[in-house]
């Protein structure tokens, strides 16, 4: 159905994406359209959470949806251009919400969002930016700094050596996640027993310098990054802040071993994963759509995070790797419940301070 919508509702030449039939009652139902980064849907990660959230809330309220996952950035821009052109001239009264889930369209969006101002029935939601839109449109930002700070602090007790692989430094949410994990890992929370004689090691590697790059990776490249490296200690962890590319790293780790993989955005269910930093973007998008349908509408800008329960950390204690660590007397000695609470509260406080 999704493929059919893409083919029949939009083309690169700017054909009509959706045009209502006044005689068809079904076409007066509010419509939610989502535009993603190229090849984003199907990543098993962040974008699939958005897809899921939109479909679930649409089912709850009886909405129509159209989710557009272009194959290239040019195709994505063509979707936006056609949508803005049609909505600026639309004469019907059908309510439409356009959700842009792609930082790679930022410039175009900020230069053209006011083209929707003349249409009182068209609304815009731009996801994951801390900078509100000027003119028409709402923005949502899920701060990941706090959850990643907490995960970084906890990671010290599980693996003294960490390889953090990030998509690129130009995406705001990626940069915040990297900063949070780095600050948490480097904080002085964990004191290893003297017999272990550990020094913490954190290596950060970016997969791309482009705003839309680094979210997919070849197996051979991932293997080079993971295995052409020697670590001082026996336990090491890989933290993949790279969207769909995380699946490649996870697959290789499950197949070849050598790393505890931290789940990022979604919890990773594997015997090689004992820690996850989760982002509930599906719940956040559902919240925004519910607000859009309400009499008050969506706020101009809202920021949610660890203190609000829209991000968090999960630690799994019933897999083989974690028990190996317990046998090694690391976590059992240093990661107490009291320390966990201290880390969590510090993470909330530091997230509130981040970027100010």
């Amino acid at each position: 159905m999704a493929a059919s919508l893409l083919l029949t509702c939009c083309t690169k030449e700017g054909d009509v994406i959706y045009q209502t039939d006044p005689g068809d009652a079904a076409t007066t139902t509010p419509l939610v359209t989502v535009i993603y980064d190229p090849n984003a849907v199907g990543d098993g990660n962040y974008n699939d959470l958005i897809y899921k959230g939109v479909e679930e809330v649409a089912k709850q309220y009886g909405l129509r949806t159209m989710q557009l996952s272009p194959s290239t950035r040019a195709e994505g821009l063509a979707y936006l251009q056609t949508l803005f052109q049609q909505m600026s001239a639309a004469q019907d009264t059908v309510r439409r919400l356009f959700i842009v889930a792609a930082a790679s369209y930022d410039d175009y969006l900020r230069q053209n969002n006011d083209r929707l101002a003349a249409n009182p029935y068209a609304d815009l939601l731009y996801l994951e930016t801390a900078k509100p839109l000027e003119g028409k449109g709402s923005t949502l930002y899920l701060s990941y700094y706090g959850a990643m700070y907490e995960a970084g602090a906890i990671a010290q007790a599980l693996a003294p050596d960490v390889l953090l692989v990030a998509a690129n430094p130009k995406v705001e949410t990626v940069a915040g996640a990297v900063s949070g994990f780095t600050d948490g890992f480097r904080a002085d929370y964990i004191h290893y027993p003297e017999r272990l004689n550990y020094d913490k090691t954190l290596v950060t590697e970016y997969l791309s310098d482009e705003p839309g790059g680094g979210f997919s990776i070849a197996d051979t490249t991932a293997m080079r990054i993971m295995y052409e490296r020697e670590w001082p200690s026996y336990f090491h962890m890989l933290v993949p802040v790279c969207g769909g590319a995380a699946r490649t790293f996870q697959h290789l780790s499950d197949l070849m071993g050598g790393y505890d993989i931290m789940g990022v955005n979604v919890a990773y269910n594997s015997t090689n994963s004992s820690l996850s930093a989760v982002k509930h973007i599906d719940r956040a998008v559902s919240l925004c759509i519910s607000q859009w349908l309400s009499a008050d509408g969506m706020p101009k800008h809202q920021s949610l995070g660890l203190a609000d329960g829209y991000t968090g950390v999960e630690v799994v204690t019933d897999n083989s790797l974690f028990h190996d660590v317990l046998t090694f007397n690391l976590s059992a000695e240093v990661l107490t419940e009291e320390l966990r609470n201290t880390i969590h509260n510090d993470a909330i406080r530091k997230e509130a301070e981040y970027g100010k």
Side-chain angles (χ1 to χ4, degrees), residues 107-171:
D107 289 346
Y108 177 85
L109 196 64
R110 294 185 184 278
Q111 293 169 10
N112 290 273
N113 60 302
D114 250 5
R115 293 171 62 186
L116 300 178
N119 187 341
Y121 303 102
D123 291 288
L124 175 67
L125 172 62
Y126 182 23
L127 297 183
E128 296 286 48
T129 177
K131 180 182 177 182
L133 290 169
E134 294 183 9
K136 187 159 188 176
S138 297
T139 47
L140 169 71
Y141 183 63
L142 256 63
S143 177
Y144 210 20
Y145 180 93
M148 291 296 284
Y149 181 97
E150 183 174 348
I154 292 172
Q156 302 171 56
L158 304 176
D161 299 325
V162 171
L163 172 61
L164 194 161
V165 182
N168 69 79
K170 296 182 180 179
V171 172

Side-chain angles (χ1 to χ4, degrees), residues 107 144 151 166 212 230 276 286 315:
D107 289 346
Y144 210 20
E230 294 185 4
S276 295
S286 296
V315 179

